[in-house]
Amino acid sequence: MKQTPTLTPELLRRAKAAGFSDLQLAAIWNVSEHDVSRLRERWGIVPVFKTVDTCAAEFQAQTPYYYSSYDRENESTRSDKKKVVILGGGPNRIGQGIEFDYCCVHGMFALREEGYEAIMVNCNPETVSTDYDIADKLYFEPLTLEDVSRIIDLEQPDGVIVSFGGQTPLKLARPLHEAGISILGTPYEGIDLAEDRERFGNLLRELNIPQPPAGIAHTDNEAVRIASEIGYPVLVRPSYVLGGGGMHIVYSELSLRKHLVQAFAMSEDHPVLIDKFLEDAIEFDVDALCDGTDVFIGGIMQHIEEAGIHSGDSMCTLPPTLSDKNLVKRIEDKTRALALGIGVIGLVNIQFAVKDNTIYVLEANPRASRTVPFVSKATGVPLAKAATRIMIGYSLKELNLAVPAHGKYLAVKKPVFPFVKLKESSYFLGPEMHSTGEVMGIAEDFGEAMAKAHVAADRTLPTSGTVFISLNNRDKRPRSLELAQGFLDAGFHIMATRGTSIFFTEHGIPNTYVLKVHEGRPDIVDAIKNGEVNLVINTPIGAQSKYDEHAIGANAFAYGIPVITNISAAFALLRGIRQAKQRVHSVKSLQEFHAGHDD
């Protein structure tokens, strides 16, 4: 690297002590991060680790916490034990939350049970993985190549697990691999195969597994051309984002060009992905384990909402409620073929969409997914622990995992949203994730499981009163009439906006017409504030609808009124309401459900 007169060891040391990362300094000096790192090491400017005394010097701490500092004395010493480093998920935020921390914690448990020194690297003190009794050693450090590499240099572990903390540590797979660091689990080659759209598409063609038509765009005009060729609607997806950030379903060129601005900004140097959006398709999530030879299907989840809603925001059932057992078998077969084709060692999550009896692959992630805790609790099979043991050399045959007893009970996963606290956010669900958590309802009947999940997430489940319904034009079809009649049969009164009211009246569904927010007073918001509405079903599309959506949603959440934004979820809730009206609820522990007890 060309050295300027102003760049001295003293200046570099001062910059590092002040908290500048190698990446930041590289940008300031217009060089590469590798150049800064190499120069810093040549000059002997490396961090040491200081101890956080978790016992305040009252007695010896059993689990030391460490943080890096550009000081002189290093307080972290390497042991002679065999050891593994797990990279955590970093800050909890929408798209990457506590579900991944669950996997990290169970990975720690499995390592310690197998006699390994379990080392955790995470920068978020508000997680279970950073509790004092989880890891043998804990480093509070950012999940960057610079910080992680220094820890690995010091500890010299047998390997590093990058697949439990979500997308954040997974992004380090390539630089760690290039640095010669052993990655436990799916090798970098498999991770890259699943991430690279072209290579993944080639694998799907080899396996004869269809995927929706798609293209990769580097410019606006290229995106418009691709969308025109594959046909609207299309899904616009930035590269390498968390929680579906910046993803949109668009139905026209005008809308596409509008959303491309954000998509290219979020993708930085990577292209934008344009996928054909499959309308009226049913989505499935599959969590599975693979040891390179055999595949274990942990759980197949059927999304309750139709395709288009982020998997983190969608309700789902486990096992699927489909009566077509052959379809489930076909999904299992494709999961096995994909896991082996990618070369998965550990966990894999695959998302499918089924339309007209054709099974399409949407994406495959050779890492832990946010559904792993739900599947593990619903089935009694500790997937993250099993994945950890596979990563350190066990085979699935040696683990001899119990196959879940499907059919004896059913679990419903329902997301929890932050709309009460984040009042300015849009509550209309789509491909960009909004949820901040999830709950599980479990019972021997779908309606009861749904009722339990809804009460756990929203605290209330109306069994009578008035349901407000406002439908976009695409939802004004026979299925919506069936839904409305179902609420009438359940004893509800229906309130509707003009277009929906006319649609219902023309088909013999009695209802009361209410004004929209911009049409005069009293309007729907007045009705909500006056306690005249007990449930909101609103499926908005368009700019004016979005304005109404915000006004309706903000007030409904403020007054504790449940809000549903799609027809499929409304049908599921109706089944829960019917069950709740019977006031028959079973109360069992998870252990009793897993054992198949009938009492």
Side-chain angles (χ1 to χ4, degrees):
M1 185 179 84
K2 184 178 179 181
Q3 183 176 338
T4 64
T6 57
L7 183 53
T8 64
E10 179 59 28
L11 177 61
L12 184 54
R13 181 176 291 280
R14 285 176 58 197
K16 295 305 294 183
F20 285 88
S21 69
D22 286 354
L23 187 61
Q24 289 172 316
L25 294 174
I28 292 171
W29 290 326
N30 196 29
V31 295
S32 73
E33 181 182 9
H34 178 67
D35 287 336
V36 176
S37 176
R38 187 172 55 183
L39 181 62
R40 180 172 52 75
E41 290 174 1
R42 190 166 75 228
W43 284 344
I45 303 172
V46 294
V48 296
F49 293 96
K50 296 297 185 180
T51 304
V52 177
D53 189 348
T54 55
C55 297
E58 292 186 29
F59 48 87
Q60 185 176 358
Q62 297 301 310
T63 305
Y65 289 14
Y66 297 100
Y67 66 95
S68 64
S69 172
Y70 278 84
D71 201 350
R72 302 294 179 183
E73 182 183 1
N74 182 46
E75 298 177 359
S76 177
T77 56
R78 180 173 67 243
S79 73
D80 295 329
K81 298 178 182 177
K82 57 181 181 179
K83 55 181 69 68
V84 170
V85 171
I86 292 183
L87 303 185
N92 281 354
R93 56 212 189 272
I94 294 175
Q96 182 139 332
I98 202 68
E99 297 92 343
F100 295 113
D101 199 62
Y102 167 99
C103 296
C104 292
V105 169
H106 279 241
M108 288 278 121
F109 289 163
L111 289 172
R112 297 180 74 174
E113 289 167 4
E114 295 297 329
Y116 282 81
E117 182 177 12
I119 301 172
M120 188 74 215
V121 181
N122 208 352
C123 57
N124 182 6
E126 295 297 324
T127 56
V128 179
S129 65
T130 54
D131 282 357
Y132 76 94
D133 57 348
I134 299 300
D136 291 307
K137 292 181 77 172
L138 168 65
Y139 287 89
F140 271 117
E141 292 296 301
L143 291 160
T144 67
L145 177 63
E146 175 186 349
D147 297 284
V148 170
S149 296
R150 175 56 181 155
I151 296 168
I152 293 172
D153 288 343
L154 174 66
E155 293 291 350
Q156 295 294 303
D158 295 81
V160 180
I161 294 176
V162 301
S163 56
F164 281 164
Q167 198 69 23
T168 297
L170 200 69
K171 286 183 179 180
L172 295 178
R174 178 176 179 176
L176 291 176
H177 169 76
E178 291 174 346
I181 295 168
S182 174
I183 296 175
L184 297 184
T186 304
Y188 171 69
E189 179 68 20
I191 295 172
D192 183 66
L193 173 59
E195 292 275 355
D196 188 295
R197 298 276 292 191
E198 186 173 352
R199 295 186 63 201
F200 186 61
N202 291 337
L203 173 64
L204 292 179
R205 283 187 286 274
E206 290 176 14
L207 298 175
N208 196 27
I209 299 176
Q211 67 177 150
I216 302 173
H218 296 82
T219 66
D220 288 14
N221 289 336
E222 191 175 8
V224 170
R225 177 184 58 79
I226 292 170
S228 177
E229 290 175 355
I230 65 179
Y232 291 94
V234 296
L235 179 65
V236 180
R237 303 202 300 173
S239 298
Y240 299 100
V241 294
L242 288 172
M247 291 173 58
H248 294 279
I249 300 168
V250 299
Y251 291 83
S252 67
E253 180 180 334
L254 180 64
S255 179
L256 174 62
R257 289 188 179 277
K258 171 186 173 184
H259 291 300
L260 282 172
V261 176
Q262 179 190 16
F264 277 114
M266 296 183 69
S267 291
E268 298 178 347
D269 296 329
H270 300 286
V272 167
L273 314 176
I274 309 295
D275 296 334
K276 175 68 177 177
F277 175 62
L278 301 175
E279 292 187 285
D280 299 324
I282 302 174
E283 284 196 32
F284 294 85
D285 257 82
V286 183
D287 280 324
L289 294 165
C290 181
D291 62 6
T293 302
D294 297 312
V295 176
F296 175 84
I297 306 295
I300 299 177
M301 292 150 279
Q302 179 183 342
H303 290 206
I304 290 174
E305 293 91 346
E306 295 171 353
I309 294 176
H310 192 280
S311 61
D313 285 356
S314 178
M315 291 186 289
C316 69
T317 65
L318 192 162
T321 56
L322 289 173
S323 57
D324 187 352
K325 302 302 180 185
N326 181 55
L327 180 61
V328 174
K329 175 66 165 56
R330 289 164 59 200
I331 291 175
E332 290 178 345
D333 291 343
K334 293 182 189 302
T335 298
R336 290 189 175 91
L338 267 173
L340 295 172
I342 293 171
V344 171
I345 303 294
L347 277 163
V348 63
N349 172 264
I350 304 176
Q351 296 175 23
F352 297 95
V354 177
K355 183 176 174 64
D356 300 328
N357 205 36
T358 298
I359 302 173
Y360 297 90
V361 171
L362 300 181
E363 62 179 315
N365 295 304
R367 58 167 171 81
S369 73
R370 60 178 52 83
T371 52
V372 165
F374 168 70
V375 175
S376 298
K377 289 179 180 295
T379 63
V381 179
L383 294 179
K385 276 189 170 185
T388 305
R389 290 187 165 92
I390 290 171
M391 292 180 194
I392 60 176
Y394 282 83
S395 69
L396 279 167
K397 288 181 180 177
E398 289 174 315
L399 295 180
N400 193 28
L401 300 174
V403 178
H406 291 318
K408 294 184 178 180
Y409 57 88
L410 182 144
V412 170
K413 185 203 79 170
K414 189 177 190 305
V416 177
F417 297 100
F419 302 134
V420 173
K421 298 290 181 68
L422 305 180
K423 300 184 186 303
E424 298 301 316
S425 61
S426 167
Y427 72 86
F428 184 64
L429 303 182
E432 187 169 6
M433 186 172 169
H434 293 79
S435 65
T436 52
E438 59 192 32
V439 299
M440 180 175 76
I442 186 168
E444 295 174 2
D445 171 79
F446 174 82
E448 182 181 351
M450 182 64 201
K452 288 180 176 180
H454 190 86
V455 170
D458 294 338
R459 296 186 177 86
T460 60
L461 180 64
T463 55
S464 63
T466 297
V467 53
F468 165 74
I469 303 178
S470 181
L471 305 173
N472 65 61
N473 288 333
R474 286 200 298 273
D475 282 334
K476 291 170 184 172
R477 47 186 175 172
R479 194 159 178 258
S480 298
L481 297 174
E482 181 185 346
L483 175 69
Q485 187 60 55
F487 275 101
L488 289 174
D489 294 342
F492 283 82
H493 173 69
I494 293 177
M495 183 182 290
T497 49
R498 183 188 302 276
T500 305
S501 178
I502 293 172
F503 172 66
F504 284 161
T505 301
E506 288 176 347
H507 292 85
I509 302 292
N511 66 91
T512 298
Y513 164 57
V514 63
L515 295 173
K516 292 183 178 181
V517 175
H518 64 286
E519 293 178 337
R521 306 288 294 274
D523 57 23
I524 176 56
V525 171
D526 293 319
I528 290 173
K529 290 181 176 179
N530 293 334
E532 300 170 18
V533 176
N534 304 95
L535 174 65
V536 170
I537 300 174
N538 186 26
T539 65
I541 287 181
Q544 184 59 54
S545 293
K546 294 294 182 183
Y547 173 79
D548 291 334
E549 168 216 341
H550 175 71
I552 294 169
N555 284 279
F557 284 113
Y559 284 84
I561 299 171
V563 178
I564 306 296
T565 61
N566 61 84
I567 299 303
S568 297
F571 267 108
L573 182 61
L574 179 59
R575 291 181 64 177
I577 289 171
R578 287 169 175 161
Q579 176 66 29
K581 289 174 76 72
Q582 299 177 14
R583 301 184 183 280
V584 178
H585 296 290
S586 61
V587 178
K588 296 180 182 178
S589 67
L590 282 176
Q591 290 80 3
E592 287 176 308
F593 275 110
H594 297 157
H597 289 179
D598 295 323
D599 52 307

